[in-house]
Amino acid sequence: MTTFFTIMGLALVVFVFCTVVMLNRGLEETVVATGESDNFIVTRRGAGTEVQSSITKSQGAIVSQFRGIMSSPDPMISFETVILINLKKKKGSTSNVVIRGLQHAGINLRKNIEITRGRFFKEGSNEIIVGRAIAKRFTGLEIGQYINFGGEAWRIVGFFKTNNNGFESEMWVSNDVLMQAFQRQTYSTVLFQLQDLSYAEEIANQLDEDIRLPLNGKFERQFYEESSRALSNFISILGTTLTIIFSIGSTIGAMITMQAAVMNRKSEIATLRALGFFKYQILLAFLFEAFVLSFFAGIFGLLMASFFSGVEFSTSNFQSFSELAFRFSFDSYVVLIGMALSIFMGIVGGLIPSIYATKIKITDALRPL
């Protein structure tokens, strides 16, 4: 029973640690998948999120003339406005949701968008489309229903998905209508596709050198990754803290189990020494036993963690203060780091009892016999 509870203790630590890693990996995958590799986003200098950014129409017009912006045949550039509204969840609580005003060029810049029900909104109308993650968690979001914000009633005409990235936690409307409703005279961001990635450095330098443009430019994926860094760091710190606390107890449990095994086998150890076995062979034998114990614990912990694979989780992004949904991601990295943790705890826990086994005197161990 002692061995069983030791394995369960180690497995529980592996389970907790792996679920936290899976959560963080899912967040990273969601954030990295938000945006295209050849899209470039311009925001106000110093703004950590789109909500905090502000770009005047004249500044946007200057940016639109930069060399290197893709045209096919119209310029692939979108002037976008991002605001937050508060909606009621199906569980009864409320949370902030991102409303993104964009043009149809902005939709075309998101290559992985797919309408799952209904249709796209008509530009210049009070129509809105809802991301899959938002539709799943909030009330009153059915096609044909109206949402009231900004002094206007917005009719839901479609649901969309974007390959499980952050855009699924947003609602999209026509940018011109959104700016009129909130009496906004500035954009939040300017997004465009690059003809070639080499133009990124040139555009960034232009933004730095032009005194009319207190703006900053980054690749879209880099921007979204940085905007979620605080949440990622929180999850990592929380998971590491819990793992350290639990692993201390589990390591001590493994140590007690291995010490009991040594004490129960004193005569066998003495017999092996008398037969000519070296101390290091006794040490390796008990360390191998600790390895086997921790290996099975790791397998069991990973098995429990695997049941969370694909489960969706949502929370507020600490930087944008908006709802963000992402999934637990179970991959080879989680397996590798989970097994490494389990084996490390088992070996550390078995090291002291194994060393003690090598110091047992043959005469003392055989005297009771």
Side-chain angles (χ1 to χ4, degrees):
M1 288 300 293
T2 303
T3 302
F4 172 77
F5 284 119
T6 299
I7 292 176
M8 288 299 296
L10 292 172
L12 180 62
V13 176
V14 173
F15 166 72
V16 171
F17 179 67
C18 287
T19 51
V20 173
V21 173
M22 288 166 62
L23 194 61
N24 203 30
R25 295 281 288 179
L27 173 62
E28 291 175 356
E29 291 175 3
T30 297
V31 170
V32 170
T34 302
E36 302 295 332
S37 59
D38 56 353
N39 282 355
F40 201 78
I41 187 170
V42 177
T43 59
R44 177 160 293 275
R45 194 171 298 155
T49 64
E50 294 172 284
V51 176
Q52 300 167 344
S53 178
S54 177
I55 301 175
T56 65
K57 292 182 179 180
S58 61
Q59 291 169 345
I62 296 173
V63 171
S64 68
Q65 301 303 312
F66 283 171
R67 189 168 69 98
I69 297 177
M70 177 71 76
S71 297
S72 61
D74 297 324
M76 296 294 289
I77 185 169
S78 178
F79 303 98
E80 303 185 356
T81 306
V82 176
I83 65 167
L84 298 178
I85 65 170
N86 197 259
L87 293 179
K88 186 176 181 180
K89 287 185 170 184
K90 291 180 179 179
K91 293 182 178 180
S93 60
T94 61
S95 183
N96 290 332
V97 175
V98 169
I99 305 295
R100 181 180 298 275
L102 70 170
Q103 300 153 325
H104 273 291
I107 295 176
N108 295 331
L109 286 169
R110 279 85 179 189
K111 300 180 180 65
N112 56 4
I113 182 173
E114 177 185 346
I115 292 292
T116 56
R117 286 177 56 196
R119 57 174 174 82
F120 284 112
F121 61 83
K122 293 178 180 178
E123 201 158 347
S125 69
N126 282 45
E127 294 180 341
I128 188 169
I129 57 175
V130 180
R132 181 196 61 81
I134 297 299
K136 183 178 179 180
R137 286 178 165 75
F138 290 81
T139 61
L141 300 180
E142 293 294 337
I143 291 181
Q145 291 186 317
Y146 287 85
I147 308 172
N148 295 307
F149 59 87
E152 301 281 349
W154 306 78
R155 184 170 179 265
I156 300 174
V157 296
F159 297 135
F160 68 91
K161 65 178 183 179
T162 52
N163 197 27
N164 297 323
N165 65 27
F167 291 130
E168 292 189 356
S169 299
E170 299 181 354
M171 304 166 77
W172 292 357
V173 300
S174 173
N175 188 50
D176 291 337
V177 180
L178 182 66
M179 291 181 70
Q180 291 174 10
F182 283 86
Q183 299 180 352
R184 290 279 297 268
Q185 301 300 317
T186 60
Y187 308 119
S188 297
T189 63
V190 179
L191 179 71
F192 51 85
Q193 184 180 356
L194 296 170
Q195 293 178 7
D196 188 89
L197 299 183
S198 60
Y199 283 108
E201 184 177 356
E202 178 183 329
I203 293 174
N205 290 335
Q206 285 182 271
L207 293 172
D208 288 336
E209 296 169 0
D210 195 328
I211 60 173
R212 299 171 299 172
L213 303 176
L215 308 176
N216 187 45
K218 296 178 182 178
F219 283 109
E220 189 180 20
R221 288 186 175 179
Q222 178 188 355
F223 175 80
Y224 286 118
E225 183 178 0
E226 291 177 358
S227 67
S228 299
R229 188 164 293 164
L231 178 58
S232 178
N233 290 340
F234 171 77
I235 293 174
S236 298
I237 292 172
L238 176 63
T240 302
T241 303
L242 291 175
T243 300
I244 291 173
I245 294 172
F246 291 158
S247 63
I248 291 173
S250 295
T251 302
I252 293 173
M255 190 180 300
I256 293 172
T257 299
M258 293 305 301
Q259 184 65 25
V262 170
M263 298 303 293
N264 290 332
R265 299 177 192 171
K266 273 189 172 184
S267 58
E268 288 90 340
I269 295 171
T271 303
L272 291 173
R273 289 293 312 283
L275 291 174
F277 284 86
F278 296 104
K279 289 185 177 182
Y280 78 89
Q281 293 175 308
I282 305 296
L283 175 70
L284 291 177
F286 279 99
L287 284 179
F288 180 74
E289 184 174 335
F291 168 81
V292 172
L293 182 146
S294 61
F295 179 82
F296 283 106
I299 294 295
F300 190 59
L302 287 169
L303 180 64
M304 291 190 293
S306 67
F307 288 109
F308 282 80
S309 179
V311 174
E312 197 168 72
F313 176 83
S314 68
T315 187
S316 291
N317 188 327
F318 297 157
Q319 288 175 261
S320 65
F321 303 104
S322 61
E323 184 84 1
L324 179 64
F326 49 97
R327 299 170 183 267
F328 287 85
S329 178
F330 187 84
D331 55 18
S332 57
Y333 174 80
V334 176
V335 174
L336 179 63
I337 198 169
M339 288 302 299
L341 174 65
S342 181
I343 292 172
F344 174 78
M345 290 189 295
I347 295 298
V348 171
L351 184 60
I352 294 177
S354 299
I355 293 174
Y356 173 77
T358 64
K359 296 183 179 301
I360 295 176
K361 294 180 179 181
I362 300 176
T363 53
D364 292 341
L366 294 178
R367 187 174 293 118
L369 301 175

